[in-house]
Amino acid sequence: MTDPTARKAENEKPDATVQQTPNPANPKPYVMPDDPQDEQADPLVAAQREAAEYKDKLLRTLAEMENLRRRTEREVADARTYGISGFARDVLNVADNINRALSTLTAEARDAADAAVKSVLEGVELTERELIKSLEKNGVKQFTPQGEKFDPNKHQAMFEVPTADVPPGHVAQVIQSGYTIGERVLRPALVGVSKAAPKPAPASDNSQPSGAGQ
């Protein structure tokens, strides 16, 4: 026979399927359910997930825009610095021709020249200096690596020079100066690279020891 008291307690037990009303005095934190069916039942869950997706897309877009801005600034700076590289190379040919023309004259020929020729020479030398200054103003700088350690990134070896005056592997002679533009090599310097001078052959001793042949 069933106990009436037990039957009453069983009837008063709360149904697990019925959602209990939260206590306003002790609210519990809202937990987003993982079940998609809960999102359909709760519009707040769907709104929170959609907001999180939009936030992620916004952050990704902002990061891409920042990368694009930095890349554009770098490309603009490179274009401003290196955009004249082709023109600068053509101007270097003019500077080389002026330098060759001046180097053909010896000191004796300069001293023997009359006043008119000396004036022409001074004008050509002034033109060469102004040309070099104009190149430097636009970021093109000349370098002469005499005595420096050979660097294949900046120097072009034309021949080897056996010498004891310069350590092996260093620039012993500069045939043509090099130029840089910004941080890049516009034209390498043409150089002769030193190598160890051959050691003199030991002197042969042809003298015979005393008493030989006796």
Side-chain angles (χ1 to χ4, degrees):
M1 184 173 182
T2 307
D3 187 1
T5 305
R7 181 180 300 176
K8 181 178 180 180
E10 183 178 353
N11 293 333
E12 292 178 356
K13 184 178 181 180
D15 189 358
T17 60
V18 179
Q19 184 176 4
Q20 299 296 322
T21 303
N23 184 7
N26 187 21
K28 296 182 179 181
Y30 181 82
V31 179
M32 184 181 296
D34 296 330
D35 191 353
Q37 294 181 357
D38 293 337
E39 294 185 9
Q40 297 177 1
D42 191 346
L44 178 60
V45 175
Q48 288 178 335
R49 288 191 179 275
E50 186 176 3
E53 292 177 359
Y54 281 130
K55 181 179 180 180
D56 181 70
K57 292 180 180 179
L58 176 61
L59 294 177
R60 290 177 183 272
T61 302
L62 291 176
E64 292 176 358
M65 293 299 296
E66 180 64 17
N67 293 335
L68 178 61
R69 183 186 67 80
R70 293 178 180 177
R71 184 167 60 252
T72 302
E73 289 180 352
R74 184 169 60 251
E75 291 175 354
V76 170
D78 289 345
R80 186 180 295 113
T81 302
Y82 305 110
I84 63 169
S85 296
F87 174 74
R89 290 190 184 95
D90 295 336
V91 175
L92 292 183
N93 294 330
V94 178
D96 292 338
N97 291 332
I98 295 176
N99 183 264
R100 293 189 189 100
L102 293 174
S103 61
T104 56
L105 293 175
T106 62
E108 293 78 6
R110 289 173 180 267
D111 295 337
D114 55 19
V117 175
K118 289 182 179 179
S119 297
V120 172
L121 291 176
E122 291 176 358
V124 175
E125 290 173 344
L126 179 61
T127 302
E128 182 186 30
R129 289 194 296 268
E130 290 298 325
L131 181 59
I132 298 299
K133 287 182 181 179
S134 298
L135 290 172
E136 291 180 350
K137 188 183 298 184
N138 289 274
V140 180
K141 297 182 180 181
Q142 184 185 57
F143 67 93
T144 304
Q146 181 67 39
E148 296 181 3
K149 183 176 178 58
F150 177 76
D151 185 354
N153 298 316
K154 299 172 59 178
H155 313 144
Q156 182 176 347
M158 304 301 294
F159 52 82
E160 288 185 322
V161 181
T163 178
D165 298 333
V166 181
H170 287 62
V171 177
Q173 182 179 349
V174 178
I175 305 170
Q176 188 180 73
S177 298
Y179 288 87
T180 59
I181 178 170
E183 298 179 354
R184 303 177 184 175
V185 176
L186 181 63
R187 190 186 70 184
L190 304 182
V191 300
V193 183
S194 64
K195 69 176 182 178
K199 296 181 179 180
S204 58
D205 188 3
N206 296 326
S207 62
Q208 295 181 352
S210 59
Q214 294 181 0

